[in-house]
């Protein structure tokens, strides 16, 4: 039995697009390619505006329990208070999430039957999850604490010290706020293709079986904002489109997507399996914007494929209270994280556990 975390929902293909050539574009390239190259360069310039920031926001996560078949319940909701400070590759993020969490007994559609034992039904449990991550770009310290008063294990806590640094939260990159996956990768890097993504992640091998394409479609208007619409497609080995996404880049909001539509062709060619949109904005400095209210919706793939009907599976709603660019910070904020006495702490180096201890020993 385990808590269904957001990552289980997000096992969706990492859609990145091959863009041949380099930036800036070479002479003699076709005009559409030059246009795309110039657009990516503009996005990259805007991304630099947000390298150092301080952020406070609320994120509401709602699960529609038609997907998880929890008896007697229609939905579960939990609310996270999030604080984030970023300076280049250094960051400090704390998430305190309270409410109902889905507990899966045997699978997304309910328990898996067993001849020996009938599984317990899926359910929800109420409590608090707290996660703090602190990284100076070389060492990351993480502390997780779970508080569920009515559960058998009412409190669980563990710590981690590792030289494998996670990517900066996508919340630090407003151009990727609506792009729940992949996390930690700038939009300008995604648009440059798989090689750029692998270089960004420090990977050397290429095991991908897919090809990809990106193109500028047209200029449109959305919620009063003039937008450049970009399509990204992933093809399988037979040349068939597997997934595609449309980014509506707001030209008056630093080219931050005001809407993203994601399509998975096995579900529907016409209706998106996921969509995100920005409802309101904060001008954090003259001419520099950050989404203030935004939402992301994921639809039930089975019902979309079977009935061609969008039935909500889960959603995220963001409410940003404050954004500060280039805040004053103390270096210790990216290195100091004290583990409470009794916390089990693991230390990892070069992907190997080199030590495990209980804090206070």
């Amino acid at each position: 039995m385990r808590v269904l975390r957001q990552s289980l929902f997000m096992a969706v293909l990492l859609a990145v697009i091959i863009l041949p050539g380099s930036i800036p574009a070479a002479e003699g390239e076709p005009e559409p390619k030059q246009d795309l190259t110039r657009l990516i360069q503009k996005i990259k310039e805007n991304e630099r505006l947000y390298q150092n920031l301080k952020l406070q926001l609320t994120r509401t996560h709602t699960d529609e329990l038609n997907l998880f078949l929890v008896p007697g319940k229609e939905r579960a909701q939990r609310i996270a208070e999030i604080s984030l400070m970023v300076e280049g590759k250094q960051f400090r993020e704390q998430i305190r999430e309270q409410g109902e969490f889905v507990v899966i007994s045997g699978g997304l559609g309910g328990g898996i039957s067993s001849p020996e034992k009938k599984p317990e039904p899926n359910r929800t449990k109420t409590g608090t999850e707290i996660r703090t991550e602190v990284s100076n770009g070389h060492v990351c310290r993480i502390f997780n604490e779970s508080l569920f008063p009515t559960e058998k294990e009412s409190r669980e806590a563990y710590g981690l010290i590792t030289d494998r640094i996670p990517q900066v939260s996508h919340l630090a990159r407003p151009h990727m706020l609506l792009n729940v996956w992949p996390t930690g990768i700038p939009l300008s890097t995604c648009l440059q293709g798989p090689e750029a993504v692998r270089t960004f992640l420090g990977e050397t091998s290429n095991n991908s079986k897919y090809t990809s394409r990106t193109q500028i479609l047209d200029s449109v208007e959305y919620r009063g904002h003039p937008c450049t619409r970009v399509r990204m497609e992933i093809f399988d080995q037979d040349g068939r489109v597997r997934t595609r996404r449309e980014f509506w880049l707001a030209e008056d909001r630093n080219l931050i997507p005001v809407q993203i539509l994601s399509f998975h062709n096995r579900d529907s060619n016409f209706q998106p399996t996921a969509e995100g949109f920005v409802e309101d904005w904060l001008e954090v400095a003259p001419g520099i914007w950050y989404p203030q209210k935004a939402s992301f919706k994921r639809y039930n793939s089975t019902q979309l494929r079977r009935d061609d009907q969008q039935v909500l599976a889960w959603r995220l709603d963001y409410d940003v209270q404050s954004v500060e660019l280039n805040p004053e910070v103390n270096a210790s904020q990216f290195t100091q994280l004290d583990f409470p006495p009794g916390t089990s702490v693991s230390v990892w180096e070069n992907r190997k556990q080199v030590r495990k201890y209980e804090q206070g020993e």
Side-chain angles (χ1 to χ4, degrees):
M1 185 178 297
R2 62 188 187 277
V3 177
L4 178 62
R5 298 182 183 277
Q6 182 178 331
S7 59
L8 292 178
F9 298 119
M10 298 177 183
V12 182
L13 181 66
L14 170 63
V16 291
I17 304 302
I18 294 177
L19 176 65
S22 58
I23 296 176
E27 293 183 6
E29 291 179 346
E31 188 61 32
K33 180 179 174 182
Q34 290 188 20
D35 290 344
L36 182 59
T37 302
R38 286 193 288 266
L39 178 63
I40 292 173
Q41 184 63 41
K42 290 180 181 178
I43 293 172
K44 184 180 293 186
E45 292 170 0
N46 279 285
E47 289 171 334
R48 294 193 188 106
L49 300 172
Y50 305 90
Q51 286 185 325
N52 307 322
L53 58 76
K54 185 177 181 180
L55 180 66
Q56 297 279 344
L57 75 147
T58 301
R59 183 189 68 205
T60 302
H61 184 130
T62 304
D63 291 322
E64 298 293 332
L65 299 182
N66 58 69
L67 177 63
F68 311 112
L69 303 180
V70 178
K73 291 192 68 68
E74 294 184 359
R75 63 183 52 86
Q77 189 174 86
R78 53 190 188 267
I79 299 175
E81 300 293 333
I82 303 173
S83 63
L84 175 65
M85 184 176 295
V86 178
E87 187 174 80
K89 294 183 178 181
Q90 303 183 110
F91 64 88
R92 183 183 190 96
E93 182 178 37
Q94 181 170 7
I95 303 174
R96 183 182 182 91
E97 192 166 23
Q98 296 177 290
E100 290 186 295
F101 296 76
V102 179
V103 179
I104 298 300
S105 298
L108 291 184
I112 298 176
S113 61
S114 168
E116 295 84 15
K117 181 180 179 181
K118 185 177 180 180
E120 297 180 5
N122 296 338
R123 64 185 180 89
T124 61
K125 64 178 183 179
T126 302
T128 303
E129 293 273 8
I130 303 170
R131 181 179 178 88
T132 304
E133 292 189 18
V134 175
S135 174
N136 63 357
H138 303 286
V139 176
C140 183
R141 299 168 68 89
I142 301 172
F143 176 63
N144 276 313
E145 185 176 22
S146 300
L147 304 171
F148 291 91
T150 62
E151 298 296 305
K152 183 177 180 181
E153 298 291 338
S154 60
R155 179 183 182 274
E156 296 180 343
Y158 67 88
L160 174 66
I161 302 173
T162 177
D163 59 358
R164 190 176 185 185
I165 309 302
Q167 296 298 326
V168 175
S169 168
H170 70 281
L171 297 175
R173 297 188 170 100
H175 290 80
M176 297 296 274
L177 180 68
L178 299 179
N179 201 69
V180 175
W181 61 89
T183 60
I185 302 174
L187 177 59
S188 61
T189 300
C190 285
L191 293 176
Q192 291 179 62
E195 289 300 325
V197 172
R198 283 192 289 272
T199 299
F200 181 84
L201 296 175
E203 299 175 354
T204 55
S205 61
N206 178 14
N207 298 318
S208 175
K209 300 179 181 179
Y210 305 106
T211 57
S212 48
R213 177 177 64 191
T214 186
Q215 57 185 317
I216 297 175
L217 294 181
D218 50 26
S219 297
V220 294
E221 185 174 298
Y222 183 77
R223 294 180 180 262
H225 302 287
C227 299
T228 299
R229 191 162 61 108
V230 178
R231 174 179 293 166
M232 305 163 55
E233 296 171 292
I234 295 291
F235 299 86
D236 63 19
Q237 298 178 77
D238 298 321
R240 295 172 299 193
V241 177
R242 289 179 58 88
T243 63
R244 73 182 190 272
R245 278 184 291 175
E246 292 182 5
F247 289 77
W248 301 45
L249 307 178
E251 296 168 6
D252 59 349
R253 294 295 186 267
N254 309 109
L255 292 176
I256 295 171
V258 67
Q259 179 175 239
I260 297 179
L261 304 178
S262 298
F263 300 83
H264 200 302
N265 280 22
R266 74 173 186 179
D267 298 332
S268 174
N269 289 323
F270 308 105
Q271 299 207 69
T273 57
E275 57 184 329
F277 51 90
V278 178
E279 298 180 81
D280 207 353
W281 300 81
L282 281 173
E283 189 171 19
V284 298
I288 303 177
W289 299 84
Y290 192 100
Q292 183 178 32
K293 292 185 182 297
S295 297
F296 178 88
K297 297 180 180 181
R298 180 67 167 91
Y299 298 103
N300 187 320
S301 293
T302 300
Q303 290 179 282
L304 188 59
R305 183 165 57 249
R306 183 185 62 201
D307 306 322
D308 198 29
Q309 181 182 2
Q310 286 180 313
V311 177
L312 189 64
W314 56 271
R315 65 179 290 165
L316 299 174
D317 294 290
Y318 300 96
D319 186 357
V320 176
Q321 283 83 51
S322 64
V323 182
E324 181 182 352
L325 296 179
N326 303 310
E328 293 186 8
V329 298
N330 189 308
S332 64
Q333 292 175 301
F334 304 120
T335 59
Q336 185 175 352
L337 176 58
D338 297 326
F339 300 119
T343 301
S344 177
V345 181
S346 297
V347 182
W348 288 71
E349 295 178 4
N350 297 320
R351 304 193 178 205
K352 294 182 179 179
Q353 183 174 291
V354 297
R355 186 185 174 199
K356 187 173 183 179
Y357 66 93
E358 184 173 301
Q359 183 66 32
E361 291 182 343

